Amino acid sequence: MSTLQPARRRRRSTPLSVWLGAGIVAVMAVVSATTRLWAPYDPDTAGVGPPYAAPSRDYLFGTDRVGSDVFSRTLSAATTDFGITLSAVVIAFVIGTALGALAGFYGGILDTILMRLMEIVQAFPALLLAMLMVAAVGSGIVNVIVVVSILGIPNYVRLVRAEILSKKNWQFAEAAKVIGNRPSRVLFRHLLPNSMRPLIAFSSINASWVAIIVASLGFIGLGIEPGSAEWGSMISRGQDSILSGEWWISGFPGIALLLLSASFYLIGDGLSEDSPGSSVLSARLLRRARRGAATAMATAAAARPESTPAPDRILEVIGFSGGFAGPEGVRPVLHDVSFGLRRGVMTAIVGETGSGKTLSALSIVGLAPEGFIRTGGQLVFDGVDLLADEPASYGRVRGTRISLVFQDARGSLNPVFTVGNQLIDACRANRKVSRNEARAIAIAMLERVQIPEPERRMRQYPHEFSGGMAQRVMLALALISEPELLVLDEPTTGLDVTIQADVMKLIVDLVRTEGLTACLITHDLGVVAETCQDVVVMRDGRVRETGSCQQIFTNPQDPYTAALLAASRLVEAA
Amino acid sequence: MTAIVSHPVLHVLGLRKEFTIRARGHAGILTAVDGVDLSIAPGETVALVGESGSGKSTVARCLTRLIEPTAGSVQLDGRTLGGLGWKDMSRAYKDLQMVFQDPNSSLNPRMRIRDIIEEPMRLHLQLSAAARRERAEELIREVGLDPMHLDRYPRELSGGQRQRIGIARALAIDPKVIILDEPTSSLDVSVRGQILELLQRIQRERNVAYLFITHDLQVVRKIADRVLVMYLGLVVEEGTTEAVFSAPTHPYTRALLSAAPVAEYGAVKERFVLSGEIPSPVDLPRGCRLAGRCPLVQPQCRERQPPLLLVPQPVAAQPPATPGVLQQHVAACPPAIAAIEDNPALTAIPPTNRL
Amino acid sequence: MDRARPIAVRVAGSLAVILGVVTLTFVLARIVSPDPTNLYVSPQADLETRAAIRANLGLDKSIPAQYGQFLADLVRGRLGTSFSTGQPVTSDLTSRLPATFELATYAVIGGTLLGFAVGILSAVLRGSVLDKILRFLTVGGLAMPQFWIGLMLLWIFFVKMGLAPGPVGRLPIGVNPPPRITSFVVVDSLLTGRFGLARHAAAQLALPVVTLGIAVFAPIARTVRSAMIEALRADYIRTAIAMNIPKRTIWFRYAFKNVLLPVLTMLAGVIGFAFSGAVLVEGIFAWPGVGQYALDAIQQSDFPAIQGFVLYAAILYVVIYLILDLAYSSIDPRVRA
């Protein structure tokens, strides 16, 4: 659970590719519904022109072996292919969703049987099963629809079942049950509507696949009645002509099929893409916002007087501002943030959700989330402005001189590498040591953070550690490069109180014995009172107050600080 | 020992929940709740405190039948809930509602606030559409929001506002008991205070009883009349909030209280430290579950699970004899109680922390 | 899929799937071809002749009896005799498998490598022009019907440009195959020093491999890209950046191993598709593999052959997914027992 969610309230926007795909599908739908208006010749009549006529003004797509107009036939086939595809997808969607929802929600024997059946159907090569079933029930539009939708059902069952299983214990589903909804209503009114987006995305990808399978059946001659206009059978008809050079007989129906299949695909792909941030539009937005910010900063920098950082401060944040790129340029979230970190002192940055405390801290090492744009300010670390030649400057300090401890330790460690491997990698990336030396350092480090049996623990993976133990590993990882500044982002949030107390005590001891400078980002004033010497209070992206711990707690100057203190002391001290 | 004077609105006896867990082909029994007794008087607030794995949330989920308890009896307003189909359960829910932990996920994102608040009324009350509308407006004012919020979607509200909607939904059918499952733990501190005050005001006006599940001891101190401390599926200490906080007896309670940070400069605290890791709930020790971590441990602690014993107290500190439910201060730690009995001065032990 | 199940349970489940597949095929085959005697005799043949043939084929017994007999034969490894070729199905299949395997092997290797390269490049350069072009190609590959790609490639490279040979199978007409060592024509030619032959065989392979390779490449590239993007956004990558781990290590070690997990599942499906004989690709290039055998069998209602092929495909599927499970647990410690 990160506290950094720049796009939290923004609705997911629809990528351009979805509109493109939807546009083509819509045009196809109109065309296939009104073929007769567009087709210059009767699609099913032979001899409307000479055989094998190349594409020309009279025969846009040329003619085939019997002199039928390929353009008219391609249009006419759209009705067939589009119709079959759409019907099959709708049938598979309805049946598959219903079965999957029931299996996921009720589980039990129904679920077991259904999943076994689906596994059997999916063990067949799909096209082969389609061929076999069409051969069994005979050709014809209805039969093809039935067969192709049966093939699609297992996919829907699996998808919907997984969706329902993952959301079944979501609190709104539980809430719906507790207020007395009957189970079926919980399922159909509360759960299913919230699974629609992935379902529609999948249906679209499924439609792309169905169109190809339908044409494949036609190509083999197992689809609808041979001779009728259908893209697959048209391609099949032109197969031999290709070798003699008449490419258009197969070529144009193929392009039509590709167009239909690709548009469905684009819709599905775009809808299932999780972050619209990667779409064309926002990349452009980002660039524009960045350019705007750069010019603004250049003018501001020229106007600013040289500041001389105090020598006792290892890091000085001066007038740091920035925001996230939006349609109207940069939406500011940090306003002129200034504070300093005294050497060998533990400073707290305190604030509530949206105060910008984590964003400010991550910016120190250039780890602000994608989309964050700096609009001004300086970050002076040990006398050097880190922002003057970013990102190169970060490479020199990040990891080696400034280390970070993140909130969710288990999520912040790589799940597929052993803890030992990660420690050794981190050690060797920042210190000139051999692998064996790094191993020895890593073991010593685990001992320092009070992890019992460090040698055995080195060989374990992050998931084998409890939350508190994982946070100790994270701490070892941060300290292994012997940094000067340690930034701790909510290091104990989410841990149980007793564990939290132990981890905090360890942190304070390490910071003291190593003579480190530490910056603790937290929302918990209790933790601050017990551990820090300096305090920075932030709210809504602004620094409200800075001061010593004693002053902040006993004599707060800013009304917000006082309010925060009062809120933290729910019960008056005895 | 559970001497009930008047009728509690919620009375739970021997609640037990076991989960069968299958990992790598081996089946194991995880006892999440191991026989919990608890009763709540009308209009009372009882807090259930513990860390993760203590079983406090499982208790809440068993009571609301989100999961089936393995054993135990639950009486709600004199009626026994147990082995009920969803229809009977649905009727029982009329008197028992729940507010969930995460306001971001406890409201259906596809429903308007109005529909969210009106849904329980539709299910339980025979009201006309106009009456429901009117009631929804009253409710939203009661939780401190404006009726214009009724036409919004959950994503358009802040976390605190959403939690108020969650409370309004629970109040919509005027239940006798509301189970609050960590209702403030995902909120900012400033919002936390407002929500707690709202809850207290509602309780005064409606005389509704709360079962408050939380790990936040400050919240307990602020809102609870009585408190039950849970560790690994068992209640280890129980008593009025005053008694438990002023004279925490069970070593686990003492560790918990002393670990909680205090937002006070220079607050000197003596930490009562438990060493070691929490044992796995699948493979629990035979005797006291804290024996492996406890500094007071005696050989007999490892023999059998110690019962809840009355904590000796100075006469002045005895709770007033309000007719209601169990008021005594009890703890499942004979060595700690023996220490108090041997040294009566200890009864007036200064609080190990000052919350 | 429940990946924590022990191997014995998985194997039992796999056998159940195979039995289910075989049974379903048996039922379908009986519907397709209730009376296959027409394959053996002229339509004018009298009833006695037909009855004799039926008795010979075991078709005079009741359906359950036929099913029992069929299962009993299956257990003994007897798949029956193909109605159309007159050969045992087992030998039919084994004689065609090398062609399918040769084609599939090259297509899978090539498609996978290209898919990984394109997917990773696309993810790392997300949002760039190159990424957009690569994504466009990937969508095209996913949406293009195989048989049409094959035909268009033939038109361009064989008819128009004359760069590739015609669709006549594994070797040009009139050229004799090399002695069998691995059954892969190119490899065998090279091993026996017949370089001219190897060149011929490689030329014959080129277009079918490209056609099938596109079907491998496109889904892999898409999965790799989205998995890589997701991995690069993960908190553990942020940790690695914070710890000053070099970029290349982050991409190719830290992110890559996490990318492998979703990609393996996709790869399993694609391998199953390619090795079960891409029916249409083999058809277009007159490739003498099992796919074409299955296509002929269906068109001629040759149900012993259909049965045999389906059994092969089901076993292939089950084996691939068993291997997938093992691969999964070797990569992901969370799955490991």
Side-chain angles (χ1 to χ4, degrees):
Chain A
M1 228 195 312
S2 167
T3 46
L4 271 183
Q5 292 173 314
R8 192 156 47 108
R9 299 249 169 82
R10 211 189 304 152
R11 277 190 88 167
R12 282 202 271 188
S13 64
T14 311
L16 208 60
S17 59
V18 174
W19 294 117
L20 184 68
I24 299 174
V25 168
V27 170
M28 284 242 178
V30 171
V31 167
S32 63
T34 56
T35 313
R36 299 281 153 184
L37 296 178
W38 308 89
Y41 304 96
D42 180 53
D44 297 322
T45 308
V48 298
Y52 297 124
S56 65
R57 192 171 302 187
D58 289 338
Y59 307 101
L60 275 177
F61 290 179
T63 62
D64 64 8
R65 183 166 48 88
V66 295
S68 294
D69 179 41
V70 175
F71 179 64
S72 305
R73 284 181 69 79
T74 304
L75 283 185
S76 159
T79 321
T80 316
D81 281 273
F82 195 80
I84 293 178
T85 303
L86 221 56
S87 324
V89 168
V90 168
I91 294 173
F93 179 96
V94 171
I95 298 179
T97 303
L99 287 179
L102 294 175
F105 192 70
Y106 293 101
I109 190 83
L110 170 81
D111 184 36
T112 315
I113 293 174
L114 209 54
M115 290 321 285
R116 282 284 160 275
L117 269 178
M118 296 302 141
E119 207 173 323
I120 289 169
V121 173
Q122 293 198 317
F124 272 93
L127 182 59
L128 187 90
L129 184 56
M131 283 159 44
L132 208 56
M133 287 202 291
V134 174
V137 298
S139 55
I141 290 186
V142 176
N143 285 350
V144 169
I145 292 177
V146 169
V147 166
V148 178
S149 42
I150 289 176
L151 285 183
I153 288 175
N155 301 310
Y156 286 93
V157 171
R158 287 193 168 205
L159 178 74
V160 175
R161 178 178 177 269
E163 273 286 321
I164 296 293
L165 277 181
S166 74
K167 298 203 169 125
K168 197 171 163 181
N169 294 326
W170 276 28
Q171 288 187 352
F172 69 80
E174 298 199 327
K177 200 179 162 198
V178 169
I179 59 171
N181 277 299
R182 85 173 68 90
S184 59
R185 216 178 114 91
V186 174
L187 176 57
F188 290 107
R189 174 112 174 89
H190 292 272
L191 281 170
L192 261 188
N194 282 293
S195 300
M196 274 301 147
R197 189 177 166 120
L199 204 51
I200 286 172
F202 175 76
S203 304
S204 206
I205 287 179
N206 182 236
S208 161
W209 179 81
V210 166
I212 291 178
I213 289 281
V214 169
S216 302
L217 287 173
F219 183 76
I220 307 169
L222 279 172
I224 58 167
E225 296 78 13
S228 60
E230 190 279 329
W231 291 331
S233 56
M234 286 174 74
I235 295 171
S236 166
R237 247 201 207 185
Q239 191 179 355
D240 296 329
S241 315
I242 282 205
L243 296 183
S244 48
E246 290 94 16
W247 57 273
W248 56 87
I249 307 175
S250 294
F252 286 113
I255 292 172
L257 172 59
L258 170 62
L259 211 57
L260 180 68
S261 172
S263 347
F264 274 127
Y265 198 89
L266 281 178
I267 300 176
D269 195 43
L271 286 180
S272 53
E273 177 97 1
D274 251 329
S275 89
S278 62
S279 70
V280 191
L281 192 71
S282 71
R284 195 177 303 140
L285 224 68
L286 209 63
R287 266 199 304 279
R288 200 171 51 199
R290 227 172 245 149
R291 260 201 309 273
T295 30
M297 270 190 295
T299 38
R304 200 188 4 249
E306 270 306 299
S307 58
T308 41
D312 68 327
R313 294 184 166 185
I314 191 165
L315 181 93
E316 192 99 34
V317 178
I318 307 161
F320 193 80
S321 307
F324 288 100
E328 308 88 27
V330 179
R331 189 171 45 85
V333 288
L334 290 183
H335 309 269
D336 199 21
V337 172
S338 300
F339 60 87
L341 301 179
R342 284 195 291 143
R343 280 178 207 273
V345 158
M346 190 139 158
T347 305
I349 304 184
V350 188
E352 293 184 297
T353 313
S355 62
K357 56 186 191 302
T358 298
L359 194 54
S360 304
L362 290 184
S363 297
I364 295 175
V365 281
L367 282 179
E370 210 180 358
F372 177 79
I373 293 162
R374 188 165 51 86
T375 52
Q378 285 174 280
L379 292 173
V380 183
F381 179 75
D382 204 15
V384 182
D385 185 1
L386 289 179
L387 300 178
D389 65 332
E390 62 172 333
S393 52
Y394 290 129
R396 287 194 296 275
V397 297
R398 190 157 63 196
T400 47
R401 302 182 67 191
I402 307 177
S403 274
L404 270 99
V405 170
F406 295 101
Q407 177 179 343
D408 170 22
R410 263 187 292 188
S412 297
L413 294 169
N414 200 321
V416 297
F417 291 95
T418 59
V419 158
N421 256 328
Q422 296 183 54
L423 285 167
I424 292 169
D425 277 357
C427 185
R428 299 198 64 198
N430 299 295
R431 289 164 69 173
K432 288 194 170 42
V433 289
S434 73
R435 203 173 165 80
N436 278 334
E437 287 166 326
R439 169 177 300 278
I441 295 172
I443 292 172
M445 213 58 232
L446 286 181
E447 239 159 48
R448 281 252 289 288
V449 296
Q450 295 164 19
I451 290 181
E453 299 179 76
E455 262 148 88
R456 188 176 64 86
R457 289 300 217 170
M458 287 277 284
R459 290 190 300 272
Q460 289 188 323
Y461 291 89
H463 74 278
E464 298 172 79
F465 286 72
S466 67
M469 281 294 153
Q471 197 52 275
R472 287 167 195 264
V473 172
M474 188 78 228
L475 207 55
L477 195 67
L479 294 176
I480 206 163
S481 57
E482 302 186 314
E484 296 153 62
L485 171 60
L486 186 63
V487 178
L488 304 134
D489 181 15
E490 301 264 13
T492 57
T493 305
L495 298 180
D496 278 328
V497 244
T498 48
I499 311 288
Q500 168 178 324
D502 292 344
V503 172
M504 263 339 284
K505 186 175 171 327
L506 173 70
I507 290 173
V508 170
D509 288 350
L510 283 170
V511 166
R512 237 169 246 156
T513 52
E514 306 289 316
L516 293 175
T517 308
C519 175
L520 174 75
I521 294 119
T522 182
H523 66 277
D524 190 336
L525 280 170
V527 170
V528 175
E530 288 178 5
T531 53
C532 296
Q533 288 93 63
D534 288 356
V535 181
V536 177
V537 182
M538 287 188 72
R539 186 193 193 189
D540 296 337
R542 289 188 170 82
V543 172
R544 297 298 293 253
E545 183 168 5
T546 55
S548 74
C549 192
Q550 182 177 13
Q551 179 252 308
I552 294 282
F553 277 90
T554 54
N555 183 22
Q557 298 300 304
D558 192 89
Y560 175 70
T561 311
L564 201 59
L565 269 172
S568 303
R569 300 169 184 149
L570 265 183
V571 186
E572 282 306 307
Chain B
M1 119 144 266
T2 36
I4 310 301
V5 183
S6 81
H7 293 295
V9 65
L10 183 71
H11 185 52
V12 180
L13 264 180
L15 188 70
R16 191 178 167 79
K17 177 67 194 176
E18 292 169 357
F19 293 100
T20 311
I21 49 165
R22 272 185 206 89
R24 295 145 200 168
H26 311 288
I29 302 280
L30 185 156
T31 310
V33 178
D34 194 5
V36 164
D37 302 342
L38 118 103
S39 19
I40 306 177
E44 188 190 27
T45 300
V46 172
L48 206 51
V49 185
E51 294 183 296
S52 49
S54 65
K56 59 186 193 304
S57 282
T58 309
V59 170
R61 293 162 62 80
C62 282
L63 294 181
T64 47
R65 285 305 178 85
L66 286 170
I67 48 177
E68 265 324 286
T70 311
S73 81
V74 179
Q75 280 191 347
L76 178 61
D77 203 23
R79 273 169 307 146
T80 304
L81 310 180
L84 300 174
W86 78 263
K87 264 190 179 155
D88 308 294
M89 255 338 275
S90 162
R91 245 170 268 138
Y93 281 139
K94 204 203 151 303
D95 288 327
L96 177 74
Q97 281 299 305
M98 181 156 173
V99 174
F100 291 81
Q101 171 176 2
D102 181 5
N104 302 326
S105 77
S106 66
L107 307 178
N108 188 337
R110 291 185 166 259
M111 283 168 78
R112 280 176 199 283
I113 301 301
R114 178 185 304 286
D115 297 321
I116 291 173
I117 296 182
E118 286 186 16
E119 193 179 19
M121 301 182 219
R122 266 177 229 274
L123 293 166
H124 295 279
L125 309 176
Q126 262 54 99
L127 289 179
S128 68
R132 277 202 304 267
R133 224 181 151 76
E134 198 178 315
R135 202 176 155 87
E137 286 181 15
E138 279 168 28
L139 281 165
I140 204 154
R141 280 200 201 94
E142 185 174 352
V143 296
L145 295 177
D146 191 280
M148 74 171 187
H149 287 113
L150 284 172
D151 292 312
R152 304 252 171 101
Y153 283 95
R155 63 165 179 277
E156 298 170 83
L157 305 183
S158 72
Q161 287 174 325
R162 276 180 240 179
Q163 197 56 293
R164 286 169 193 267
I165 300 299
I167 293 168
R169 172 174 59 188
L171 289 174
I173 46 176
D174 213 6
K176 298 197 167 77
V177 181
I178 298 181
I179 294 177
L180 302 140
D181 186 9
E182 303 258 15
T184 55
S185 65
S186 60
L187 303 175
D188 278 326
V189 275
S190 53
V191 184
R192 177 182 71 168
Q194 296 161 9
I195 295 288
L196 291 177
E197 261 148 40
L198 172 68
L199 287 171
Q200 285 180 314
R201 202 190 74 218
I202 288 169
Q203 189 170 54
R204 276 196 305 275
E205 289 165 4
R206 292 178 175 247
N207 200 35
V208 57
Y210 292 147
L211 177 62
F212 206 111
I213 317 280
T214 185
H215 67 274
D216 186 336
L217 294 165
Q218 288 219 55
V219 169
V220 175
R221 193 113 197 240
K222 161 111 179 151
I223 200 166
D225 300 312
R226 280 189 305 124
V227 54
L228 280 75
V229 182
M230 284 187 76
Y231 181 71
L232 283 172
L234 281 174
V235 174
V236 294
E237 184 157 359
E238 176 177 353
T240 59
T241 306
E242 186 54 37
V244 172
F245 276 75
S246 59
T249 305
H250 197 279
Y252 179 70
T253 314
R254 289 169 68 182
L256 208 57
L257 286 176
S258 74
V262 189
E264 208 68 60
Y265 182 73
V268 197
K269 287 201 324 191
E270 194 186 323
R271 261 208 72 194
F272 190 93
V273 181
L274 296 174
S275 53
E277 299 252 304
I278 302 173
S280 153
V282 185
D283 187 21
L284 287 169
R286 190 151 55 102
C288 175
R289 281 160 200 194
L290 196 64
R293 307 173 66 196
C294 180
L296 305 183
V297 65
Q298 304 286 319
Q300 66 267 28
C301 294
R302 301 185 195 272
E303 293 303 310
R304 63 183 201 92
Q305 179 56 50
L308 282 169
L309 301 175
L310 210 56
V311 177
Q313 285 172 71
V315 182
Q318 286 292 353
T322 21
V325 284
L326 178 77
Q327 297 270 344
Q328 292 100 326
H329 184 186
V330 292
C333 186
I337 289 172
I340 298 172
E341 278 165 349
D342 293 348
N343 182 3
L346 273 178
T347 318
I349 196 171
T352 43
N353 103 312
R354 301 182 293 157
L355 261 178
Chain C
M1 207 172 286
D2 181 5
R3 298 196 181 282
R5 274 185 285 170
I7 289 293
V9 179
R10 291 277 299 122
V11 171
S14 305
L15 289 176
V17 167
I18 291 179
L19 181 67
V21 168
V22 165
T23 306
L24 181 56
T25 321
F26 181 85
V27 172
L28 283 174
R30 294 301 126 143
I31 304 173
V32 175
S33 176
D35 184 7
T37 50
N38 282 333
L39 293 168
Y40 292 83
V41 291
S42 72
Q44 289 81 29
D46 54 39
L47 289 174
E48 286 86 62
T49 322
R50 284 173 186 278
I53 292 167
R54 265 199 218 99
N56 197 25
L57 293 171
L59 297 175
D60 53 343
K61 298 188 194 110
S62 68
I63 294 281
Q66 286 184 41
Y67 179 62
Q69 183 61 43
F70 162 72
L71 285 187
D73 284 347
L74 207 61
V75 173
R76 277 182 241 123
R78 272 187 254 156
L79 299 176
T81 306
S82 160
F83 293 162
S84 49
T85 65
Q87 301 289 320
V89 172
T90 332
S91 70
D92 272 353
L93 281 175
T94 43
S95 72
R96 277 156 214 269
L97 273 175
T100 295
F101 268 58
E102 185 172 30
L103 172 57
T105 304
Y106 299 135
V108 165
I109 293 177
T112 307
L113 290 180
L114 194 63
F116 267 102
V118 165
I120 291 178
L121 200 64
S122 218
V124 171
L125 302 175
R126 189 159 55 96
S128 69
V129 178
L130 186 63
D131 173 37
K132 267 168 233 159
I133 294 171
L134 292 175
R135 282 189 81 190
F136 181 77
L137 291 177
T138 310
V139 171
L142 281 163
M144 260 191 280
Q146 286 275 296
F147 51 94
W148 186 73
I149 301 182
L151 287 177
M152 290 298 118
L153 288 175
L154 269 178
W155 177 62
I156 296 169
F157 292 101
F158 170 56
V159 179
K160 277 283 174 195
M161 303 170 73
L163 286 175
V168 292
R170 302 176 80 182
L171 283 170
I173 292 159
V175 176
N176 289 322
R180 276 182 59 168
I181 304 171
T182 62
S183 297
F184 279 29
V185 178
V186 176
V187 178
D188 287 352
S189 310
L190 290 175
L191 285 177
T192 52
R194 292 159 215 224
F195 297 107
L197 198 56
R199 212 175 50 81
H200 275 306
Q204 290 293 337
L205 267 168
L207 291 187
V209 164
V210 169
T211 311
L212 190 55
I214 290 175
V216 176
F217 151 78
I220 298 281
R222 177 177 186 257
T223 316
V224 168
R225 179 180 181 273
S226 60
M228 188 79 182
I229 287 175
E230 203 193 310
L232 286 176
R233 278 207 200 113
D235 280 352
Y236 53 79
I237 294 299
R238 190 176 62 170
T239 310
I241 297 172
M243 283 321 298
N244 200 22
I245 306 279
K247 252 199 176 113
R248 218 169 295 158
T249 314
I250 290 178
W251 290 344
F252 296 110
R253 225 167 93 77
Y254 279 53
F256 188 73
K257 206 169 168 187
N258 285 284
V259 166
L260 270 184
L261 296 172
V263 175
L264 272 180
T265 309
M266 175 54 79
L267 193 60
V270 168
I271 290 177
F273 162 73
F275 279 84
S276 60
V279 175
L280 296 173
V281 179
E282 289 189 0
I284 284 165
F285 292 98
W287 202 258
V290 290
Q292 214 187 11
Y293 182 68
L295 181 58
D296 292 344
I298 287 176
Q299 284 171 334
Q300 293 167 11
S301 305
D302 182 354
F303 66 77
I306 297 175
Q307 288 281 14
F309 174 76
V310 167
L311 181 68
Y312 158 71
I315 292 175
L316 185 73
Y317 169 90
V318 159
V319 169
I320 289 173
Y321 277 87
L322 265 180
I323 295 174
L324 173 72
D325 276 7
L326 295 178
Y328 237 91
S329 56
S330 76
I331 292 174
D332 191 341
R334 290 164 293 190
V335 180
R336 228 170 277 163

